[in-house]
Amino acid sequence: MSSTELRHTALDAVHRSLGATMTDFAGWDMPLRYGSERDEHLAVRTKAGLFDLSHMGEITVTGPAAAALLNFALVGNIASVGVGRARYTMICQADGGILDDLIVYRLAETEYMVVANASNAQVVLDALTERAAGFDAEVRDDRDAYALIAVQGPESPGILKSLTDADLDGLKYYAGLPGTVAGVPALIARTGYTGEDGFELFVKPEHAVELWQALTKAGEGAGLVPCGLSCRDTLRLEAGMPLYGHELNTSLTPFDAGLGRVVKFDKEGDFVGREALAAAAARAEQNPPRVLVGLIAKGRRVPRAGYAVVAGGEVIGEVTSGAPSPTLGKPIAMAYVDAAHAAPGTEGVGVDIRGSHEPYEVVALPFYKRQK
């Protein structure tokens, strides 16, 4: 047993009452699944799923120089984000390595909320605090100030509309607005990590149970089910979305990860990692790094993170995430492979699964795209 106690979200008792299988995730005791992972996954694809994401790390940045600080600390142009909008970005080391990928919400003229992955929340908090030196801005750890509940899937707008008079139709993708849901004050966001439409509700922890129960009741006729982290992983994998620690890490720059578009060299002022990232961008132009691709199994064996991707007896890459795909009905994986083998339809590519080279088809990401 580890000496540190696992942290519990405000919905811990609810998960246990629903018979959830719990797991340690980044120091939090989180629901892995309530029943069948496949059923939870398919509910999100066809109806709706309810997730507790309270383990995510919220960090508030306020003050006259909040925008300037975030432009310096992160690779994106945060100053150009409008109030009420959100942006996907990254925080990098001075050498360009990815510390975390983030969503930044601009809540007001001089107030931002940075949402970090649970496993990196402390690292991001420490980096932002250190980088704030000399800026007229305050970095505040708000991890305990929020519970986060997500409702995802095609039925989610209808379910949420029945509980709020906020303008959901006017809420664009990657935006957030304050509102009241089932009488509970919330920041209602629309970002998602499942490949489906959906909403994230940031509320005070003391309101979490009440809101979860109201959403559960509102979703009864629409096929809403509680969903654990296991199906969240297969949903984001099908949607081709990176997961820190798998597709992203400190040994990769955003250019290595095929996400160079998040780095904004044209913004005002210097930013941490600028020089190293400029060099990485130039390297990627000259000598393409390994490319993140999709792999679909021709057989039934499931690839896992760390397995070698092979062609002609040579190792040409490595699997970063793999799982059975409930939507496709066969095993899938994301993998970094040499550029020469990255084109969709490339023949002769396999995954070394315990000594056996299992045949895989190279496809473009994502595996799944919802019909708008």
Side-chain angles (χ1 to χ4, degrees):
M1 280 292 290
S2 74
S3 55
T4 50
E5 279 292 301
L6 286 179
R7 299 182 68 177
H8 296 97
T9 77
L11 291 161
D12 187 67
V14 172
H15 301 318
R16 291 171 197 282
S17 72
L18 290 169
T21 300
M22 306 295 284
T23 187
D24 172 0
F25 186 85
W28 290 82
D29 206 13
M30 296 297 292
L32 190 62
R33 71 182 78 80
Y34 298 86
S36 148
E37 291 165 13
R38 186 174 177 276
D39 290 351
E40 290 172 25
H41 179 110
L42 295 174
V44 175
R45 285 277 177 260
T46 58
K47 303 280 188 354
L50 190 60
F51 294 86
D52 178 9
L53 304 178
S54 303
H55 60 314
M56 300 294 281
E58 296 87 6
I59 301 161
T60 304
V61 180
T62 55
L69 162 59
L70 289 170
N71 261 17
F72 170 71
L74 311 179
V75 301
N77 188 351
I78 308 305
S80 69
V81 178
V83 173
R85 299 306 302 265
R87 184 155 297 165
Y88 176 79
T89 187
M90 293 182 182
I91 182 166
C92 289
Q93 300 178 148
D95 68 1
I98 302 166
L99 281 173
D100 201 13
D101 62 336
L102 311 164
I103 295 177
V104 180
Y105 296 89
R106 188 170 197 167
L107 304 181
E109 197 56 42
T110 60
E111 183 181 3
Y112 296 81
M113 180 169 68
V114 177
V115 181
N117 285 297
S119 55
N120 294 327
Q122 190 64 48
V123 169
V124 173
L125 177 68
D126 292 346
L128 286 174
T129 303
E130 186 185 315
R131 294 173 190 188
F135 287 92
D136 186 4
E138 182 200 348
V139 175
R140 189 171 73 233
D141 180 359
D142 269 348
R143 283 177 287 180
D144 293 335
Y146 291 102
L148 178 55
I149 295 172
V151 54
Q152 295 277 304
E155 297 290 338
S156 57
I159 292 167
L160 201 54
K161 273 179 189 170
S162 71
L163 296 174
T164 184
D165 55 8
D167 178 18
L168 297 186
D169 291 335
L171 184 65
K172 296 185 171 70
Y173 188 52
Y174 267 77
L177 87 168
T180 304
V181 181
V184 169
L187 171 68
I188 306 167
R190 195 174 206 162
T191 58
Y193 189 58
T194 60
E196 298 300 335
D197 193 9
F199 303 88
E200 297 77 42
L201 306 169
F202 294 86
V203 299
K204 287 183 174 169
E206 57 265 34
H207 293 148
V209 172
E210 175 190 348
L211 180 58
W212 179 280
Q213 288 169 344
L215 286 161
T216 299
K217 195 168 188 323
E220 272 171 3
L224 177 81
V225 302
C227 292
L229 293 181
S230 187
C231 83
R232 188 170 155 82
D233 191 46
T234 51
L235 288 159
R236 70 94 197 164
L237 175 54
E238 287 183 350
M241 293 176 171
L243 175 62
Y244 196 88
H246 288 257
E247 287 71 40
L248 309 173
N249 58 57
T250 51
S251 67
L252 296 171
T253 72
F255 294 94
D256 297 319
L259 291 164
R261 64 179 180 275
V262 305
V263 181
K264 302 301 180 194
F265 292 114
D266 56 355
K267 63 179 173 176
E268 271 185 46
D270 195 15
F271 63 92
V272 177
R274 177 192 271 276
E275 270 185 47
L277 289 167
R283 264 199 319 275
E285 284 285 311
Q286 294 298 312
N287 184 16
R290 282 184 166 177
V291 180
L292 189 64
V293 300
L295 299 174
I296 299 180
K298 295 187 177 176
R300 310 299 313 163
R301 296 183 74 184
V302 179
R304 298 294 180 195
Y307 285 10
V309 181
V310 292
E314 300 289 313
V315 174
I316 57 147
E318 187 176 297
V319 171
T320 53
S321 298
S325 163
T327 305
L328 276 62
K330 47 183 80 167
I332 60 172
M334 286 202 278
Y336 282 112
V337 302
D338 294 345
H341 297 273
T346 300
E347 288 295 316
V349 171
V351 175
D352 187 337
I353 301 183
R354 288 186 281 283
S356 165
H357 290 186
E358 300 288 324
Y360 275 74
E361 180 190 352
V362 178
V363 298
L365 292 168
F367 298 97
Y368 167 85
K369 205 165 191 168
R370 72 183 165 101
Q371 302 302 308
K372 291 279 192 282

